[in-house]
Every structure is written in C-alpha cells, then in structure tokens.
Amino acid sequence: LAKTTQPISMDSYEGQEVNITCSHNNIATNDYITWYQQFPSQGPRFIIQGYKTKVTNEVASLFIPADRKSSTLSLPRVSLSDTAVYYCLVGGFLEAGNMLTFGGGTRLMVKP
Amino acid sequence: NAGVTQTPKFRVLKTGQSMTLLCAQDMNHEYMYWYRQDPGMGLRLIHYSVGEGTTAKGEVPDGYNVSRLKKQNFLLGLESAAPSQTSVYFCATGADDYGYTFGSGTRLTVV
C-alpha cells in the first residue's frame, strides 16, 4: 500500500483558495488518488478522485503531476463550513483484497 | 435514502462484556469495511469483506471478529471488551466509480 504524507494542519480565511498537498512517492501504476473530508462526529465523505492530470467537480479540484508522486486538493473560496479533516488516500479499486489506508489527515481550520 | 446504517450509535460496555455492531447497506456494494478511529487519529482498518461469505483481516484485527452472511450486512463482534477498544467505529462500503460510503459511526466506551 502506498504511504501518504500530508501537512498535519492548515489555517485559512473565508473566501480564500486552499491547496492541500499530499505526497505518495511509491504510488503503483494501478493506484487511484482519493480525497475524503471528515467533520467531527461523522464518517468521512468522498470529495474527489483522480488518476492523472486534473479532475474538477462541484466541490474541489485535484491536480496530479505527470509522475503522480504527489497530488494537490484545491478548495476554491472556502467557507467556515469547510473546517474539517481532509484525508488523502492512494490505492487500487477493484482488485480483491483492496483496502484503504488512512493517514492522520490534514486538519483545516477556516477563520472568519 | 440509500446509504450505510450503523447500529447502535452509542454503547457503554463493561470490561469483559461482548457485543455486536451491525452495518447495513442498501447500495448493493460488494466491499464492506470496519474501521476504528481513536481521538485525534486517522482511521485504522479492522476487518473487511470483498463479498458475501468472505472476510479478511485488516491492520488491527485482534480482539474482533466479523461475519458477512448476507451481502447487505457486515457484523463486527467484540467477544470480551477491553478499555483499549474504546473508540468510534465506522463501517464503509465500496464500489468502483463512486468512492467509499461511510456510516455515521458507533461510539463505544469500555469501562
């Protein structure tokens, strides 16, 4: 399983763009990169997933360089409600026995 | 609404007692997982299942057992609870295109 490294915490202000970078140097060819968001007392929630280049949805963008050894989650114009822990996960998806390994995540604090 | 339902939501056990946590899903997903999350920590995988009738060990399986007799249900059992098992337990299901869906968690305290 590819190990991931993220900053422990980040602070931002409302309206700013937030970029959280995740390192995954030993990512495998078949691995996808997935980001989850977790609010206190709730289970993690899927945000975005990608394999290479750039992926965008209504919530965030995910930038993946050509070597795929890192990825950056971009949250445009954050609000107070984006205060949460963000997890970067790397792994395959369909293979029997596949499982997700969560690191410590990045605790994002959005201030007014 | 479709999703993952965990019961119970809260439980307090005495050391040595047993209990079963139930995870039920109505999304027809093949993969199901049990995680535990200790305060301020990430999630750690306890056991998982890749289909009805199958189970496998994750990172921290000791002290837990699981069963997947029906595709929609994944049970996590504690035969003899210990204070070290005080945690929040999350169930998740997996499918190819939509990521993993988590339940709302079971907060377990062992005294």
Side-chain angles (χ1 to χ4, degrees), chain A residues 2-3 23-27 68-70:
Chain A
K3 179 179 170 58
S23 297
H24 28 80
N25 290 321
N26 59 338
I27 187 170
R68 304 202 326 125
K69 294 184 182 299
S70 67

Side-chain angles (χ1 to χ4, degrees), chain B residues 19-98:
Chain B
M19 77 164 294
T20 300
L21 283 68
L22 171 64
C23 177
Q25 55 116 345
D26 58 5
M27 296 177 291
N28 202 35
H29 286 172
E30 288 294 335
Y31 305 113
M32 297 188 75
Y33 307 82
W34 276 108
Y35 287 87
R36 63 175 286 174
Q37 186 173 36
D38 299 327
M41 306 288 286
L43 286 82
R44 292 184 293 169
L45 182 65
I46 305 171
H47 286 280
Y48 63 101
S49 169
V50 299
E52 180 179 317
T54 74
T55 62
K57 295 180 180 180
E59 302 172 67
V60 289
D62 294 342
Y64 305 95
N65 57 75
V66 289
S67 64
R68 182 106 181 260
L69 299 180
K70 295 181 179 180
K71 184 177 183 178
Q72 64 267 33
N73 295 335
F74 195 28
L75 279 66
L76 177 70
L78 287 73
E79 291 186 348
S80 180
S84 62
Q85 294 178 304
T86 293
S87 190
V88 180
Y89 292 85
F90 289 102
C91 174
T93 70
D96 303 340
D97 298 332
Y98 303 104

Side-chain angles (χ1 to χ4, degrees), chain A residues 1-96:
Chain A
L1 296 173
K3 179 179 170 58
T4 61
T5 303
Q6 308 174 228
I8 294 174
S9 64
M10 295 181 67
D11 289 343
S12 183
Y13 291 92
E14 282 190 293
Q16 288 188 335
E17 178 184 74
V18 171
N19 295 308
I20 306 174
T21 297
C22 178
S23 297
H24 28 80
N25 290 321
N26 59 338
I27 187 170
T29 302
N30 294 331
D31 285 346
Y32 286 82
I33 300 157
T34 311
W35 284 81
Y36 286 81
Q37 175 191 57
Q38 186 179 27
F39 297 114
S41 301
Q42 294 186 25
R45 181 175 74 103
F46 172 90
I47 300 177
I48 198 166
Q49 183 183 75
Y51 184 79
K52 62 180 179 180
T53 63
K54 176 184 175 182
V55 179
T56 298
N57 61 23
E58 65 277 6
V59 176
S61 294
L62 179 60
F63 299 92
I64 305 169
D67 66 6
R68 304 202 326 125
K69 294 184 182 299
S70 67
S71 59
T72 299
L73 174 73
S74 181
L75 305 173
R77 298 179 298 282
V78 294
S79 64
L80 297 177
S81 62
D82 292 315
T83 293
V85 178
Y86 293 83
Y87 294 97
C88 163
L89 292 94
V90 173
F93 227 38
L94 275 179
E95 294 84 351

